[in-house]
Amino acid sequence: MLRSTVLILAVSFALGACSKAGDANKPPATTEAAMPVAPAPETARENPFAAASTLPFQAPAFDKITDADYQPAIEEGIKLHAAEIRKIADNPEAATFENTIEAMERSGAMLNRVSRVFFSVAQANNNPTLQRIQADVAPLLANHSDEIFLDPKLFARVKAIHDARETLNFDPQQLRLVEHDYEQFVRAGAELSDADKASLRELNVEEANLSTDFSEKLRAATKEGALIVDDKAKLAGFSDADVAAAAAAATERTMDAKFVVSLQNTTNQPALASLSDRDVRAQLLKNSELRASRGDGNDTRALVQRLAQLRAQQAKLLGFPNYATYALGNQMAQTPEAAMKLLTDTVPAATAKARGEAAKMQKLIDKQKGGFKLAASDWDFYAEQVRKAEFDLDEAAIRPYFELDRVLNDGVFFAANQLYGLTFKERKDLPVYHPDVRVFDVFDKDGSPLALFYADFFKRDSKAGGAWMDVFVEQDGHTGNKPVVFNVCNFTKPAEGQPALLSFDDVTTMFHEFGHALHGFFSNVKYPSIAGTAVPRDFVEFPSQFNEHWASDPKVFANYAKHYQTGEPMSQAMVDKIRKASTFNQGYGTTEYLASALVDLAWHTLPADAPMKDADVFEAEALKRFKIDMDQVPPRYRTPYFAHIWGGGYSAGYYAYFWSEVLDHDAFEWFKENGGMTAANGQIFRDKVLSIGNSQDLKAAYKNFRGKDPVVGPLLENRGLK
């Protein structure tokens, strides 16, 4: 996914309500202010964020940045940005594109610099100091956003330009930016009465505080929810490498002589596929499902109930019947009804396939005289056995062919070279925020520098769960700034001296997040507000999900799927088994996803006057209403730890993955129809999809690429549901 902090989204006009690929909106790329401002005080000039970094690509100077630098820089950045905005609003000259729209676009340089780094590090390498700063600055940034978007003088200038836009001879990108900015103001409440603006301000500050609180509680709950065992025998089924990793995780927590199986952010846990002790499996799943609903200080249930309620109240103030209607108004789906129809139309096929999968596993349990009914915690363990029986495919036998460095260099980077001509060179001279982080120069097909790429692959307690992409520096066609992009994942870190071996799901995740990175690398737009991944949520996952296809492309797969010890390529027989098994367990995977996406829409279609309801009860009722309540297939994310929608910018937008999946499979059909992985096809996709940001109407842009509107058939076929 694309992850950007919910808080920084609103601090500038590149932000507004536009969203990123995994989280929120985004500020403009690092630039200097469009007009002179008073000199910053001496302390601000000494702060590493007071001026643009002198490192290549303006990469963050992590060797100079300390935790103590963040809050002063954010506060000074707010002050400087407010002064710039005030000068724009108070300009006695008539409003023009240059003195209003473009001036706003170039404002907020310092705030943008520090926000991009601070919120990125706070997600990937948090600590108590950063948590405190997040709590302190959340209301400051929410208030700063409201000061801008609810300023009547500033809105009057934007509106004047917008209303006359058809007569001002704007080029297409200027026109798109004017319409974008006007929409952001209106959606932020610029047309409300003073009384309603005051009410909205209060709700916005409360939401910012609650979202920050949610993220902090969830990080702590996930850490505390890890499975801790003191008997190695309880890890029966684990490989030696898995046991060593669990021991290393315990040592990191100063829990010698114990073993720690950390939780990932989803309900289902990878370890469930190999743990042979049924009681241990049940305990691990219980830890996962109850992580944020134990009635302790990390319980998020009351918090999310209030978040849903106040979002509904925000929507009502803005003239919408519910938050989902508001949130989807500028997305490709446009209405929650359209999003819900795509999901609910797929429920019958998905649940039928899942029930068929469960029946096969129950038959196996009975054959083994297990004497129990398949439970959710048993699913992966027996699914793995069914897969071995039906496809003669063993996950443990596959992993040695997916060593992380080889997947990255000979898979992910290789595919980008074959399609787009990119080359990569690792560099060791740039400072990073954690020793695990790696940095690469990205060169375009003509050899010219294109971007910097940071990769942070391994799980740690200080990192939020999941995987995401974001940028430290956004592409900016006006200043010439090139993008500084990063990917973050949560792969299990091997014990010292051991290789990092991935599952094929992990491999797919790496390709997915790099698809977001490509979207950032190739941005070729003048204005950061509409550049790169600043596109609707239900489009932003299209490039990333599309890039997953190359993980299994025969040419790419053969290049990276080699045994880490011998270098031998995976046998054709095993490759054929993987291909045959590609739709295996898709009933489960589709059902768990649909359940979460529908729960998200259920929460965000509540009207403002709906009474608060217990989160567990509400979720259960929603699943039953949508006919997707399967005990053996819990939602991918349960409400109390659904980070996407409560702290990650995907509120009322988790459906976007499925909507984008329609596009990605349809687009891959175009590639197959036109010769597959060729440089010519890659250039067309780059020019018509990856480079345009949000500078064009994206429905029209997709049709321009594909030659017709997308159809859902390829998605259903790919998931084995057709």
Side-chain angles (χ1 to χ4, degrees):
M1 78 176 181
L2 185 152
R3 191 173 204 110
S4 225
T5 43
V6 186
L7 298 176
I8 58 174
L9 327 180
V11 300
S12 78
F13 296 87
L15 253 47
C18 221
S19 23
K20 283 204 70 148
D23 284 317
N25 312 302
K26 55 185 190 185
T30 305
T31 61
E32 295 309 316
M35 57 194 69
V37 295
E42 184 67 23
T43 54
R45 285 201 301 274
E46 294 172 355
N47 191 294
F49 294 106
S53 168
T54 59
L55 293 176
F57 295 81
Q58 299 183 15
F62 287 114
D63 56 337
K64 298 178 180 178
I65 297 168
T66 69
D67 289 353
D69 293 320
Y70 290 120
Q71 189 158 349
I74 291 172
E75 292 176 354
E76 182 67 17
I78 290 174
K79 186 188 304 180
L80 293 174
H81 193 204
E84 292 169 334
I85 294 298
R86 187 76 266 134
K87 189 166 184 177
I88 296 169
D90 291 342
N91 190 341
E93 298 177 3
T96 66
F97 181 86
E98 291 74 17
N99 70 20
T100 302
I101 303 297
E102 194 164 67
M104 291 191 303
E105 190 75 3
R106 303 301 161 202
S107 67
M110 182 177 180
L111 183 57
N112 177 57
R113 277 193 297 272
V114 62
S115 296
R116 282 206 171 279
V117 175
F118 170 68
F119 287 107
S120 299
V121 173
Q123 288 289 338
N125 197 34
N126 209 316
N127 62 49
T129 299
L130 300 186
Q131 291 175 12
R132 177 189 57 75
I133 295 172
Q134 282 181 288
D136 288 346
V137 303
L140 301 181
L141 290 170
N143 183 66
H144 179 55
S145 174
D146 286 338
E147 286 295 319
I148 295 170
F149 287 111
L150 301 182
D151 185 323
K153 292 179 69 175
L154 188 61
F155 177 57
R157 296 179 69 84
V158 173
K159 187 176 188 302
I161 298 166
H162 176 267
D163 289 352
R165 66 193 184 282
E166 300 296 343
T167 66
L168 296 177
N169 297 316
F170 290 145
D171 66 38
Q173 285 199 33
Q174 289 176 319
L175 180 60
R176 185 76 169 176
L177 182 61
V178 168
E179 293 175 342
H180 168 275
D181 281 0
Y182 177 75
E183 181 183 48
Q184 304 314 304
F185 273 88
V186 172
R187 288 174 59 80
E191 295 180 319
L192 296 179
S193 68
D194 288 345
D196 284 345
K197 284 180 180 178
S199 297
L200 186 61
R201 285 173 184 267
E202 292 179 2
L203 293 172
N204 289 345
V205 168
E206 184 180 358
E207 182 184 18
N209 286 329
L210 290 179
S211 291
T212 299
D213 193 20
F214 172 86
S215 296
E216 291 177 5
K217 287 179 183 293
L218 179 55
R219 184 180 288 106
T222 300
K223 179 181 178 180
E224 292 300 315
L227 177 68
I228 301 171
V229 300
D230 53 14
D231 183 358
K232 182 180 176 181
K234 292 183 178 179
L235 299 181
F238 266 18
S239 67
D240 290 343
D242 290 336
V243 173
T251 300
E252 286 181 10
R253 300 188 184 201
T254 65
M255 301 173 67
D256 294 337
K258 293 184 184 295
F259 302 88
V260 172
V261 181
S262 300
L263 296 182
Q264 69 174 26
N265 64 326
T266 52
T267 298
N268 200 32
Q269 300 297 311
L272 293 171
S274 51
L275 289 168
S276 57
D277 187 316
R278 190 167 188 247
D279 291 337
V280 174
R281 291 199 305 270
Q283 186 61 55
L284 177 58
L285 184 62
K286 182 178 179 181
N287 285 12
S288 178
E289 290 188 300
L290 298 182
R291 72 184 79 174
S293 53
R294 293 182 176 276
D296 58 11
N298 296 323
D299 196 312
T300 65
R301 287 174 293 182
L303 188 154
V304 301
Q305 289 164 20
R306 176 57 185 156
L307 269 171
Q309 185 180 63
L310 70 87
R311 286 173 181 168
Q313 292 168 349
Q314 289 169 323
K316 182 178 181 180
L317 279 173
L318 293 166
F320 296 89
N322 54 59
Y323 184 83
T325 302
Y326 163 76
L328 272 66
N330 63 351
Q331 302 294 297
M332 296 189 76
Q334 297 187 321
T335 68
E337 290 77 18
M340 205 170 287
K341 184 177 189 304
L342 175 64
L343 302 177
T344 55
D345 281 356
T346 314
V347 165
T351 53
K353 189 171 179 65
R355 283 191 290 271
E357 293 164 354
K360 288 183 180 180
M361 286 180 268
Q362 188 63 56
K363 186 176 181 180
L364 178 61
I365 292 169
D366 295 342
K367 183 178 180 180
Q368 296 175 357
K369 302 189 184 304
F372 58 84
K373 184 178 179 182
L374 178 77
S377 57
D378 299 317
W379 189 290
D380 277 4
F381 185 73
Y382 287 97
E384 185 64 20
Q385 294 184 48
V386 171
R387 182 167 67 164
K388 288 178 185 177
E390 290 194 356
F391 303 101
D392 192 22
L393 193 59
D394 184 352
E395 177 69 29
I398 294 172
R399 282 179 178 268
Y401 292 89
F402 300 142
E403 190 272 326
L404 188 150
D405 272 359
R406 196 185 293 274
V407 173
L408 178 65
N409 290 294
D410 297 343
V412 173
F413 289 170
F414 174 77
N417 173 264
Q418 296 298 297
L419 281 165
Y420 311 113
L422 300 188
T423 54
F424 304 83
K425 183 179 180 180
E426 188 164 8
R427 57 190 305 168
K428 306 287 188 177
D429 60 318
L430 293 178
V432 292
Y433 59 84
H434 188 278
D436 285 346
V437 179
R438 303 164 66 181
V439 188
F440 299 83
D441 275 316
V442 185
F443 299 99
D444 212 338
K445 61 182 178 181
D446 62 359
S448 62
L450 179 66
L452 273 183
F453 175 60
Y454 288 62
D456 182 0
F457 290 128
F458 295 124
K459 183 188 303 182
R460 55 181 170 267
D461 287 341
S462 62
K463 183 187 287 188
W468 63 91
M469 165 271 185
D470 211 328
V471 300
F472 291 128
V473 178
E474 182 68 273
Q475 181 267 330
D476 188 328
H478 181 79
T479 64
N481 283 355
K482 295 182 183 297
V484 179
V485 177
F486 63 90
N487 278 175
V488 181
C489 298
N490 268 281
F491 304 143
T492 298
K493 187 174 183 178
E496 188 70 26
Q498 296 295 313
L501 303 181
L502 306 179
S503 68
F504 192 60
D505 282 347
D506 292 337
V507 172
T508 303
T509 295
M510 192 183 289
F511 274 83
H512 175 104
E513 297 307 331
F514 197 74
H516 284 311
L518 290 168
H519 202 181
F521 295 160
F522 289 142
S523 179
N524 186 23
V525 178
K526 185 174 183 180
Y527 305 106
S529 291
I530 52 175
T533 55
V535 297
R537 276 269 182 256
D538 48 11
F539 189 89
V540 80
E541 297 296 339
F542 162 35
S544 55
Q545 293 181 165
F546 170 80
N547 203 57
E548 293 178 21
H549 288 279
W550 305 118
S552 54
D553 177 84
K555 182 179 181 181
V556 178
F557 192 87
N559 202 56
Y560 73 82
K562 298 177 182 179
H563 199 281
Y564 78 97
Q565 291 173 314
T566 66
E568 288 295 313
M570 184 179 287
S571 68
Q572 188 58 49
M574 187 176 287
V575 173
D576 291 341
K577 291 173 186 177
I578 291 175
R579 189 169 292 115
K580 279 183 64 179
S582 62
T583 60
F584 176 74
N585 215 37
Q586 279 296 318
Y588 181 97
T590 307
T591 299
E592 65 159 2
Y593 165 77
L594 292 174
S596 288
L598 288 164
V599 166
D600 169 30
L601 288 172
W603 277 113
H604 290 106
T605 49
L606 287 172
D609 58 357
M612 270 196 177
K613 182 173 283 191
D614 176 83
D616 295 330
V617 172
F618 180 87
E619 177 181 282
E621 291 178 349
L623 294 172
K624 187 174 183 179
R625 182 168 79 251
F626 292 121
K627 297 181 173 57
I628 200 166
D629 51 330
M630 294 184 64
D631 291 341
Q632 297 155 327
V633 188
R636 182 170 298 173
Y637 305 99
R638 291 199 56 239
T639 292
Y641 51 88
F642 203 165
H644 284 75
I645 68 172
W646 305 123
Y650 276 72
S651 45
Y654 193 60
Y655 79 91
Y657 288 92
F658 215 59
W659 193 277
S660 295
E661 196 173 343
V662 172
L663 301 178
D664 95 63
H665 289 298
D666 189 73
F668 195 66
E669 287 298 307
W670 179 90
F671 269 78
K672 290 193 293 185
E673 293 162 6
N674 289 276
M677 175 178 269
T678 68
N681 286 345
Q683 189 64 48
I684 292 171
F685 193 65
R686 174 177 177 170
D687 291 342
K688 295 188 175 184
V689 175
L690 296 177
S691 68
I692 65 174
N694 196 22
S695 64
Q696 303 176 25
D697 177 84
L698 293 176
K699 284 187 176 181
Y702 183 84
K703 191 170 184 178
N704 180 45
F705 157 70
R706 182 68 170 101
K708 59 182 181 180
D709 290 327
V711 294
V712 73
L715 178 154
L716 299 176
E717 184 174 347
N718 188 270
R719 284 180 172 261
L721 303 178
K722 193 172 182 179

